Amino acid sequence: MNLTQAAERLGLGQLLDAPLLLKDDEQSPVWKAVTDSGSWVVKIAQPWGDFWMPMAAQAGALEAAAWESGVAMPEPQSTTLGEAGLWRPIGDGAYARAVRFVEGAHPTAPTSEPLAAWAGGLVADLARCAIPADPTVHGDYRSNSQEEWEEWFAQAERLEVLSAEHVRILKLSLEQAEAMIEDQQDLWRSKVVMHRDIRHQNILTGSGGPVLLDFDAAGAQDPWWELVFTAFHLAGFGRRLELPERRIVQACLSGYVAAGGAVGAVDESAFTGMFAGRVGAATWQLWMACGHRGGSREYQAGFAQTLRESVNAMAMMLKAMPTWATWLKA
């Protein structure tokens, strides 16, 4: 994937310095490029299948609307939407996009209460963009047949990607996600496009205040479910089984309410989007770890480790959701 070609196709101008690789991802590298038009973060991707294009289009629609409404975020190189949203074809089937480089550092989780409150307000701001989610876009959790799952589980055990205990937990998680979705069909069908990945890794704090990064996972989500995901991740919950801090959850909730965010059910159903999203992500990780989407052995091994961490986190959620739900009652 040629960064010089990407910069030219995006209209960024001439490269002035050697580019800096910010994220060494085999499938989707991220670069810092200094050109005669400024400093840019450039992403390059090789889409897999027809599903990628409409997903990218939805994500781009939210990012463009968020920028135009004044959300604190890096400036996109362009807000003109194409068939792949803000991504542009650069040849050989690859796509690229760019945002202004912002100097800063990622906060650690659990974050501070003021930052959590800021993020809660941000969720309300993104909800007001009111980008309707396309129900035909497969960028969300979706069911797979029992036969498919049994085949994938057998393959995962054979390749030593998952242990028998991990498979047992993942099966329980699938059943729980399906039950939660079935119980929340009205909300599930009426979702708007949200960021879906507001974590400390996607926030940058600098002299100008915090900014939100990386809209590439944006897709269908209920705003209240987005708030719950955001609050618990900023409070410290992640794949490594950190215990979230209640005060951070409630600071995020306060910021959301103060910004006019609509509060939903304050019971276990509030975790529907968060839990189903985690199961959906684990499905992708399973495919990657088992080689369904290519990549080197090292790349697949990285996904295998991430998958096992995800399954452990799902086990923790299954136990903790009844207690966590009480934290949402202001």
Side-chain angles (χ1 to χ4, degrees):
M1 298 182 185
N2 190 315
L3 182 63
T4 301
Q5 183 177 337
E8 179 183 340
R9 295 291 179 89
L10 291 172
L12 301 181
Q14 182 178 356
L15 288 170
L16 300 181
D17 292 314
L20 175 65
L21 184 61
L22 299 176
K23 184 178 180 182
D24 188 9
D25 187 297
E26 285 184 15
Q27 308 292 343
S28 302
V30 181
W31 300 85
K32 178 184 177 183
V34 179
T35 75
D36 53 17
S37 65
S39 296
W40 302 91
V41 175
V42 181
K43 294 185 176 183
I44 302 175
Q46 192 80 40
W48 294 330
D50 295 338
F51 67 90
W52 183 84
M53 197 79 73
M55 283 176 57
Q58 280 198 152
L62 177 64
E63 185 168 359
W67 172 255
E68 290 165 2
S69 67
V71 168
M73 55 189 281
E75 178 187 4
Q77 185 264 339
S78 171
T79 55
T80 301
L81 297 172
E83 61 177 353
L86 300 181
W87 293 86
R88 299 290 180 263
I90 60 172
D92 298 324
Y95 283 74
R97 51 162 307 190
V99 297
R100 291 277 183 190
F101 178 81
V102 176
E103 198 70 57
H106 298 291
T108 56
T111 66
S112 68
E113 291 179 44
L115 185 62
W118 170 84
L122 185 71
V123 172
D125 292 341
L126 292 175
R128 275 191 290 274
C129 292
I131 305 297
D134 184 345
T136 67
V137 174
H138 294 307
D140 201 355
Y141 174 85
R142 54 176 174 165
S143 298
N144 295 286
S145 71
Q146 185 66 30
E147 292 76 15
E148 287 174 313
W149 274 113
E150 291 301 332
E151 178 184 343
W152 298 334
F153 289 146
Q155 184 182 22
E157 286 198 73
R158 186 172 66 252
L159 295 175
E160 299 183 344
V161 167
L162 291 177
S163 66
E165 176 62 11
H166 281 128
V167 168
R168 184 189 70 81
I169 295 169
L170 186 48
K171 285 181 177 179
L172 285 175
S173 299
L174 285 165
E175 292 171 4
Q176 178 70 14
E178 293 284 359
M180 294 172 83
I181 292 167
E182 182 62 29
D183 190 54
Q184 298 292 315
Q185 278 298 310
D186 289 344
L187 282 179
W188 195 260
R189 294 192 182 101
S190 62
K191 294 178 291 188
V192 295
V193 180
M194 298 294 292
H195 185 281
R196 299 200 306 186
D197 202 20
I198 303 176
R199 300 175 294 148
H200 64 285
Q201 298 97 325
N202 285 329
I203 294 172
L204 206 62
T205 56
S207 59
V211 296
L212 177 64
L213 309 177
D214 196 359
F215 281 72
D216 292 339
Q221 184 67 290
D222 175 75
W224 175 238
W225 294 347
E226 176 94 342
L227 182 279
V228 171
F229 172 97
T230 301
F232 279 86
H233 279 80
L234 295 185
F237 177 66
R239 292 196 307 266
R240 302 187 188 280
L241 306 186
E242 302 92 341
L243 293 174
E245 293 194 9
R246 183 171 182 170
R247 63 184 179 85
I248 304 302
V249 170
Q250 294 180 327
C252 192
L253 174 58
S254 295
Y256 176 74
V257 172
V263 175
V266 289
D267 54 30
E268 289 180 59
S269 69
F271 296 89
T272 301
M274 181 176 173
F275 193 77
R278 186 169 286 278
V279 174
T283 306
W284 174 257
Q285 292 158 4
L286 177 63
W287 292 339
M288 294 298 298
C290 292
H292 293 198
R293 297 295 187 272
S296 66
R297 288 184 181 273
E298 293 76 16
Y299 197 59
Q300 293 169 15
F303 274 98
Q305 178 62 33
T306 300
L307 171 62
R308 290 188 288 270
E309 292 172 355
S310 291
V311 173
N312 292 337
M314 283 187 278
M316 181 176 175
M317 281 195 72
L318 286 169
K319 293 179 182 178
M321 279 189 288
T323 298
W324 289 355
T326 66
W327 298 4
L328 301 174
K329 298 174 182 178

